[in-house]
Amino acid sequence: MVDTAVDGDFTRVRDLLSRVAVSGAYITEQGTLGRLAEDLYLEAAFGAIADAGLDPADVDGVAGLRSDSFSAADARAGFWAEYLDHPVRYFSTVDVASAGHCAVIMHAACAIGAGLVDRVVVVGGSSRTTDGRAASVQRLASAHGEFDVAWGSLVPSWFALIAQRHMHEYGTTSEDLARIAVSTRRWASMNESAIMRKPITVDDVLGSRMISSPLHLLDCCLVNDGAGALVLSRRDLVDDRRPVVTVAGGAEEYARRAYKDVQHDLLRSGASHTGPRAMAMAGVGPEDVDVAELYDCFTITVLRELEDLGFCKRGEAAGFVADGALEPGGSLPTNTHGGGLSFSHSFSGLSHAIEAVRQLWGECDERQVPGAETALVHSQGGPLQLHSTVVLARA
């Protein structure tokens, strides 16, 4: 379904990844919390370590993203090692916006598989509604180049351009986008940790205020505080309390800025490369994916990812969604925790990965996807030029 070649011999990296398993997961409360990101990070990290049945002294690696809620020094993973109160052998900060959430998982898994480290805690989060530093950083980060600075281009307008182009090319409508928000909210209604749980309709989405045409308020992700963490371990060190979940494949790509490069196809992103490569590495295809956790800063993001990742042909994602594919009981349960649109967007890409792991562990209660064995997680940042994908699987 995708128009990009998948090349490469993945034998060596498969061997590395086969030595690694996810052993712990934790998510803090989400919302307007009145807590600094440092505090939330610590709760998430120690919570995931405890969930893995470990003590901080057992963890010898720290990985994560640079948080826009921290000072420049404290934002990097190496500085967080001191909170474990012992030296660590591995630390990694992946500074590629939200695309880093999948990338950092892959990096940590490869480091463990290569024998550099035994256990790594991967942490992400922010306090965007509490810490004043975040707002100023976000305003600065929204300005790219002479035209953006002059005309005040902001993130919603970048994605609105993509939505307008999809509508022009394929006849996509605002109703088509709204169905994604409705589907995601259905999942969130079954998640007690989600911020927005009240069911919504297509009319509710279309009736919410316009942010950047054609994107309405309910087409846009949340802005909130919160954090989460995963622990990756050497597989032979993981106990048998849960099914073994491995990082089966992964890929990342930096592409040109789609929203400002007039020679770039607005309807084709780096996901058209990372998805096929990650799945080829894992030895699966789109038809084998039981659960998809797709970065959803806006509804159009999900529509684009469905096509780029190969779950449907170009121009057919709207019909795929309308047929109920993403909903409970659908052919591709997607963003089963409520995603960035309804669950939380404080650490969105990592929250998608944590949800995927919990689905594969079979720990999602009412929203559990029966028989889930393979999950695909995709993150993007930039926007649109930074992409990373991981495939998680029950061994």
Side-chain angles (χ1 to χ4, degrees):
M1 291 184 181
V2 290
D3 47 11
T4 181
V6 176
D7 56 6
D9 182 355
F10 301 118
T11 303
R12 292 178 65 186
V13 70
R14 283 173 177 159
D15 179 57
L16 291 180
L17 295 176
S18 69
R19 307 170 192 173
V20 184
V22 182
S23 57
Y26 185 88
I27 289 177
T28 71
E29 182 184 3
Q30 307 294 307
T32 302
L33 305 178
R35 298 169 60 188
L36 295 181
E38 289 91 333
D39 183 33
L40 294 168
Y41 262 54
L42 285 174
E43 179 188 335
F46 286 113
I49 291 169
D51 184 63
L54 303 172
D55 293 321
D58 299 318
V59 175
D60 51 356
V62 181
L65 278 65
R66 182 186 62 79
S67 173
D68 55 18
S69 300
F70 294 165
S71 65
D74 289 341
R76 291 170 174 81
F79 291 86
W80 282 88
E82 67 182 85
Y83 291 104
L84 295 177
D85 201 29
H86 66 274
V88 297
R89 295 188 290 163
Y90 173 87
F91 54 87
S92 173
T93 302
V94 180
D95 192 2
V96 287
S98 295
H101 288 112
C102 287
V104 74
I105 292 172
M106 186 65 176
H107 295 185
C110 286
I112 296 170
L116 298 177
V117 62
D118 291 333
R119 299 183 179 96
V120 178
V121 59
V122 178
V123 192
S126 66
S127 56
R128 289 179 175 141
T129 57
T130 296
D131 191 338
R133 286 175 292 180
S136 62
V137 171
Q138 285 177 314
R139 285 194 294 270
L140 178 62
S142 69
H144 289 283
E146 56 185 316
F147 297 108
D148 292 356
V149 173
W151 297 105
S153 172
L154 295 173
V155 175
S157 61
W158 302 337
F159 286 87
L161 289 173
I162 309 301
Q164 291 281 11
R165 189 65 188 177
H166 205 279
M167 290 176 166
H168 173 77
E169 290 290 337
Y170 302 122
T172 308
T173 66
S174 291
E175 288 81 0
D176 293 326
L177 298 180
R179 290 188 186 98
I180 293 173
V182 172
S183 169
T184 308
R185 185 65 64 85
R186 285 194 64 188
W187 286 109
S189 71
M190 296 184 283
N191 183 359
E192 294 182 356
S193 299
I195 294 174
M196 306 296 289
R197 299 187 63 199
K198 181 180 178 181
I200 56 175
T201 65
V202 168
D203 287 341
D204 290 330
V205 179
L206 301 183
S208 61
R209 64 186 175 91
M210 187 67 72
I211 300 300
S212 185
S213 181
L215 301 176
H216 298 80
L217 178 64
L218 294 180
D219 286 302
C220 306
C221 67
L222 303 169
V223 178
N224 62 277
D225 308 335
L230 285 172
V231 175
L232 276 64
S233 302
R234 261 178 39 200
R235 186 167 170 178
D236 61 319
L237 298 178
V238 176
D239 60 37
D240 59 0
R241 292 178 301 147
R242 292 161 159 157
V244 174
V245 171
T246 67
V247 182
E252 55 197 85
E253 175 157 316
Y254 180 94
R256 288 150 67 176
R257 284 192 190 131
Y259 69 94
K260 65 183 298 183
D261 185 346
V262 295
Q263 296 180 355
H264 189 96
D265 183 354
L266 287 176
L267 303 182
R268 187 184 308 273
S269 75
S272 62
H273 297 272
T274 63
R277 285 185 65 81
M279 284 186 270
M281 188 181 298
V284 301
E287 67 280 359
D288 300 310
V289 174
D290 300 310
V291 180
E293 306 294 346
L294 308 181
Y295 186 68
D296 56 340
C297 49
F298 300 92
T299 50
I300 184 60
T301 315
V302 176
L303 203 72
R304 280 276 309 280
E305 290 168 337
L306 289 169
E307 295 175 355
D308 282 347
L309 292 167
F311 291 112
C312 51
K313 294 180 180 179
R314 298 200 177 279
E316 295 184 1
F320 187 69
V321 174
D323 288 340
L326 313 189
E327 299 183 6
S331 60
L332 185 69
T334 298
N335 294 343
T336 53
H337 59 325
L341 292 170
S342 290
F343 166 70
S344 165
H345 195 258
S346 64
F347 64 120
S348 186
L350 188 56
S351 80
H352 288 68
I354 292 172
E355 173 68 10
V357 168
R358 288 177 168 172
Q359 285 285 347
L360 299 179
W361 278 340
E363 296 181 355
C364 289
D365 299 324
E366 184 183 358
R367 67 182 190 279
Q368 178 65 46
V369 176
E373 295 186 353
T374 303
L376 181 142
V377 187
H378 183 76
S379 297
Q380 71 169 40
L384 300 179
Q385 76 266 35
L386 300 161
H387 291 265
S388 62
T389 306
V390 293
V391 176
L392 301 168
R394 287 181 61 157

